[in-house]
Every structure is written in structure tokens, then in C-alpha cells.
Amino acid sequence: MTIDHSVVVGIGKGGSCKTTLATQLAAIWSSEGKRVLLADLDTQASATKVCGLEPNDHGDGRHLMDSVMYGDKLTTVKARDRLHVVVAGKHTKTLSHHLVTAEGGPEAFSQSFNQLLEANQFDRIVFDLPPSGSSRLADMAMQTGKYLLVPTSAGVDNIEGLRVLAEELELLESNILLLGVVLMRIGAGASRKRAEAQKEVSDILDGVADPFNTVIREASTAYDDSRKAKLFLHEYAEWASTVSITNQIKGRIQIPTNLTDLAHEFYELADEVDDRIALAERLLETSTS
Ligand SMILES: Nc1ncnc2c1ncn2[C@@H]1O[C@H](COP(=O)(O)OP(=O)(O)OP(=O)(O)O)[C@@H](O)[C@H]1O
Ligand SMILES: [Mg+2]
């Protein structure tokens, strides 16, 4: 029932940067050559929109609903080379409600994705989840996903929220493997705060997983500008590097100074996550052979 090669980005209240993490990582991995499927499981369809797709133009969440409820082959929509999206929308909510009482929900859910993996269409599936506790569909991803990535921002409440992580996983009877916690939106200059937050996360996770070394900085202008340009951060940073110095000096185009650093951090994080997945696969292989 497990969906191989899947990375679930979730657990966390609204605005904890789940969608940011899921979309930017999916985009980087696909730019590096992996065939990636980004599955948007949030009725708000934020991940769909970050990829530049309008839910309305692509079935409004109907594709996943038809696949899970009626067994249709799951339709995916191309967003970039090697990056496809399972589009969310208003039908995502209908599906989630249906799954509350439906029998065999997790089987049907995993089957939709496993069919695509069996057909060798994708190398990795990334799930973007809605806020914790709000959707049956999110529970299914937690029950059938292989790896879990949890974003958190600094601040006592956010980090303390990780304490319920283990309980949540137990409640769902989930065997998902926690790859680690990603610290997001930490002030770039505040190295002491950074180290403190990492230590706190380590203590709370208590050996279950470690926080990633790469921390994503607070850089709202750079992030918002990339969204306005309808580009992923790494694409926007690449475009910015081509803007002539004349244009910048004349003030016609203003490029946030921390854009390159922010984009770079996501690249580093993508590598780190890759390494942890590779390690986990090796360990799983030796433990089953
Ligand atoms: N590096 C960054 N610096 C500052 N702000 C950021 C950064 N990355 C993302 N943001 C902002 O953080 C906010 C929350 O992001 P996001 O939508 O990823 O959260 P979420 O956990 O998916 O929320 P929801 O639970 O509603 O789905 C967004 O408004 C985004 O603009
Ligand atoms: Mg989101």
C-alpha cells in the first residue's frame, strides 16, 4: 500500500511553509533531471497555482477524485519539463469528504499513484498537504507515503508544535519515515537564533530524525517577487542573473539582494533531502535482504 519514492510535505498548521517547500523542491528535482509528480492535496490549490496552473482550467481537483473514487487512470498536468501536477480544486474537498466514510480509502488512494509508478512515468512523487487535522486526504497521504518532510519556522509555539508529531503519526498508524525537519524563515543574520532553533528541534525529535543543516532564510520580498514573476525561485534567480547591470543601476529592475542566497539554500536543501532518501533506501534494502 506504500507509495514508493514519495515525499510527503506536511504536519503543521496553516502558513508553516508546506506549499513553499513542496513546490520549490519538486521544481529543483525536476530541473536536475528527475521526473517529478507534485500532488496537490489541498482544496485551496496553492501548489497548483505556484506552478502557474489555474485549477479551473484543469478539472478543479476532478482528476484525483475520479481516480480514487472510480478507478480512472490519474490525469496529471504538465507544468514544466519533467514536472507534472495533480491539480487540486473544489473537488478535492468532495473527495476528502467522501473518504471519511468510504471503505478501502488508503488502498484506492495509493493505487492511483502506484499505477503511474508501475508505468514508470515518474521518479519521485511530492505531496503537498493542507494544514494538519483538516482533511481525510492528508491522513491518507500520511498512511501511504514513504518519507515525511516537516517544515517549521522559528518561535516557541512552532517548535513546540513538533512535540505532537509522534502522537499524530501514532494516531494515524502511519509507518512513514521522518526524513527530517526543515527550519524555514529564519533571519539570515541571526546565527545564534539559528543554532538555538536547531538544537531545540533536535531535542524535541530526540533521535527520531535530525533537523536539516540547511536553513531557509526569511526573505519575503525575494519570495513574493518570484511569485509575481510566476517563476520558481531557482528560475527567477537564473533570470535575475541575466538582468544587465545598467538596468539595475538605472533602477528599472530591482532585484532583492538576498534572492541568490535564498535560491541557493533551496538547492542545498534539495541535495540534503536526496542524500537522506538515498541513505534510507540503502538501509531499507539491507534490512529486508
Ligand atoms: N523564505 C521566505 N521568507 C519569507 N516568507 C516566505 C518565505 N517562503 C515562503 N514565505 C511566505 O510564507 C507564507 C506561507 O507559505 P505557504 O503557503 O508555503 O504555507 P503553507 O504551510 O502551505 O500554508 P497552508 O497551511 O495554508 O497550506 C506565504 O505567504 C509565503 O509568501
Ligand atoms: Mg499550503
Side-chain angles (χ1 to χ4, degrees):
M1 204 171 66
T2 307
I3 303 170
D4 251 344
H5 312 295
S6 61
V7 178
V8 176
V9 182
I11 301 267
K13 54 186 182 179
S16 64
C17 286
K18 297 178 291 296
T19 300
T20 306
L21 188 58
T23 51
Q24 302 300 329
L25 289 183
I28 287 177
W29 285 325
S30 67
S31 79
E32 291 175 338
K34 285 196 171 63
R35 297 165 304 160
V36 180
L37 178 62
L38 174 64
D40 189 347
L41 300 185
D42 189 346
T43 194
Q44 294 178 80
S46 316
T48 299
K49 291 174 196 160
V50 172
C51 294
L53 300 169
E54 251 323 298
N56 247 328
D57 298 339
H58 302 283
D60 232 340
R62 187 180 283 284
H63 301 150
L64 186 60
M65 181 179 74
D66 286 348
S67 182
V68 176
M69 283 170 67
Y70 311 115
D72 293 0
K73 183 172 184 246
L74 180 57
T75 303
T76 65
V77 180
K78 183 175 174 179
R80 299 287 196 281
D81 283 345
R82 296 179 300 275
L83 177 62
H84 281 236
V85 179
V86 173
V87 170
K90 66 170 194 265
H91 297 296
T92 308
K93 196 187 264 171
T94 318
L95 172 61
S96 198
H97 285 165
H98 162 84
L99 288 170
V100 173
T101 51
E103 291 219 352
E107 285 81 9
F109 177 82
S110 57
Q111 174 61 20
S112 293
F113 293 95
N114 278 330
Q115 210 182 13
L116 301 182
L117 290 175
E118 279 155 23
N120 192 24
Q121 290 188 11
F122 297 101
D123 304 308
R124 186 164 289 167
I125 300 180
V126 179
F127 287 102
D128 180 36
L129 265 51
S132 282
S134 67
S135 137
R136 191 68 194 114
L137 206 46
D139 296 349
M140 308 252 131
M142 295 298 300
Q143 287 165 339
T144 61
K146 184 135 186 194
Y147 302 113
L148 174 64
L149 266 186
V150 179
T152 183
S153 32
V156 183
D157 289 347
N158 294 314
I159 293 179
E160 283 295 315
L162 293 173
R163 284 193 198 280
V164 296
L165 193 67
E167 281 165 44
E168 285 198 45
L169 295 179
E170 211 164 297
L171 211 63
L172 286 165
E173 296 181 8
S174 166
N175 290 320
I176 202 162
L177 225 133
L178 177 59
L179 287 176
V181 170
V182 184
L183 280 162
M184 308 276 295
R185 302 186 61 172
I186 312 281
S191 56
R192 198 170 59 97
K193 202 170 144 199
R194 209 175 257 242
E196 270 172 17
Q198 267 169 323
K199 165 125 188 17
E200 269 176 80
V201 171
S202 286
D203 290 349
I204 288 176
L205 295 179
D206 195 20
V208 176
D210 287 320
F212 287 92
N213 291 323
T214 313
V215 168
I216 305 294
R217 70 182 55 210
E218 168 80 27
S220 45
T221 309
Y223 184 78
D224 291 349
D225 284 2
S226 75
R227 294 281 295 110
K228 278 182 215 143
K230 295 192 167 41
L231 294 171
F232 292 112
L233 273 167
H234 77 272
E235 295 171 333
Y236 187 59
E238 200 170 301
W239 168 82
S241 70
T242 67
V243 173
S244 79
I245 196 145
T246 336
N247 275 335
Q248 291 187 51
I249 290 169
K250 286 183 182 160
R252 274 185 284 208
I253 296 173
Q254 296 218 330
I255 293 172
T257 47
N258 52 9
L259 170 66
T260 318
D261 292 325
L262 178 64
H264 188 71
E265 282 161 0
F266 273 104
Y267 271 117
E268 285 193 334
L269 181 64
D271 277 353
E272 245 192 286
V273 177
D274 261 341
D275 288 347
R276 286 199 192 180
I277 291 176
L279 175 66
E281 299 226 302
R282 277 203 301 279
L283 292 174
L284 287 171
E285 215 169 275
T286 47
S287 73
T288 52
S289 63

